[in-house]
Amino acid sequence: MPQEIIIAPCTGAMVQVNKGQYVAVEDIDGGQVADFFAEALGQDEEFLSTGVTIDCNESLRLKVGDMLYTNYYNPMFDVVCDDVGEHDLLHPSCRREMFDFFYHNGEGHPNCLDNLNRSLGRQYAILHPLNVFMNTRIHADGSIAVLAPISRPGDRLVLRAKMDARVAVAACSVSESQCNAGRCTALRLLVGGKELV
Ligand SMILES: [Zn+2]
């Protein structure tokens, strides 16, 4: 049986994923973004890098068969299954200052930076997660727009670990835009074997 964690709206969770194990992020209600970040187990300075992932895959997008890389250019996860096909490698985690910048409501607002840091027992000054299910349009002129996710209830992204890792996932706290289709909902995180594929 896979290990299952329900991530309540606007919260985060951490789980250890060993090399060869699968980790699935499931959108329970549809339209919900998951901030996915990971650290190499026992290697304080090595962690998931979306910039390196863009570099190595030579793409701003992520598809089945692609790899997620660490800041040291080591393979961390590969993308095994994807029900959605729209994820974001560009945006940092939402944070108090982001809510202040756009909505003037950062004080006391739940946010992914705090939720990921709390889950990991860390104090990263900024985090660039894989934003699972986040639907960012990249236009030819370089401008971007964040649209509502196209993920439906039960849709999953399944990754396979290439190294032992501590994985933190936050159910994104933005209800002010279309990022989470205007409402914050829960996620399911599953860790296990081939039964997740
Ligand atoms: Zn967020």
Side-chain angles (χ1 to χ4, degrees):
M1 285 286 286
Q3 180 182 356
E4 177 180 315
I5 297 171
I6 299 295
I7 302 173
C10 305
T11 70
M14 191 276 285
V15 69
Q16 183 175 328
V17 182
N18 296 321
K19 182 179 179 178
Q21 279 192 304
Y22 296 79
V23 56
V25 180
E26 181 180 311
D27 187 350
I28 295 174
D29 294 323
Q32 176 64 44
V33 168
D35 283 44
F36 180 101
F37 183 74
E39 299 175 329
L41 189 68
Q43 303 288 336
D44 270 5
E45 302 299 320
E46 185 165 19
F47 46 80
L48 175 69
S49 170
T50 50
V52 171
T53 297
I54 288 169
D55 192 9
C56 293
N57 292 329
E58 299 183 68
S59 177
L60 294 170
R61 299 173 61 85
L62 198 66
K63 62 182 186 305
V64 170
D66 282 348
M67 199 74 76
L68 293 166
Y69 292 87
T70 71
N71 54 319
Y72 290 129
Y73 282 74
N74 291 316
M76 195 172 209
F77 299 94
D78 60 352
V79 181
V80 178
C81 301
D82 184 2
D83 293 328
V84 178
E86 287 290 349
H87 314 287
D88 172 281
L89 290 163
L90 299 176
H91 285 85
S93 287
C94 66
R95 62 187 298 155
R96 188 188 68 215
E97 293 82 356
M98 187 285 294
F99 285 100
D100 280 337
F101 184 92
F102 286 106
Y103 311 114
H104 313 291
N105 66 350
E107 182 72 37
H109 199 300
N111 65 79
C112 290
L113 178 64
D114 287 347
N115 285 332
L116 291 173
N117 271 328
R118 197 174 297 124
S119 299
L120 289 163
R122 299 285 191 196
Q123 292 196 316
Y124 289 106
I126 188 168
L127 282 171
H128 287 95
L130 164 62
N131 295 299
V132 179
F133 310 133
M134 186 171 176
N135 186 9
T136 302
R137 279 280 90 76
I138 304 165
H139 300 119
D141 67 356
S143 64
I144 58 175
V146 177
L147 309 180
I150 60 171
S151 48
R152 296 159 303 176
D155 278 350
R156 289 182 177 182
L157 176 73
V158 184
L159 308 173
R160 178 172 44 203
K162 311 300 280 187
M163 62 173 66
D164 296 345
R166 299 169 81 226
V167 169
V169 176
C172 185
S173 305
V174 178
S175 61
E176 289 83 353
S177 73
Q178 282 304 299
C179 180
N180 297 298
R183 65 194 187 125
C184 295
T185 57
L187 297 167
R188 180 177 282 115
L189 186 61
L190 298 149
V191 178
K194 273 218 158 70
E195 72 273 12
L196 293 180
V197 178

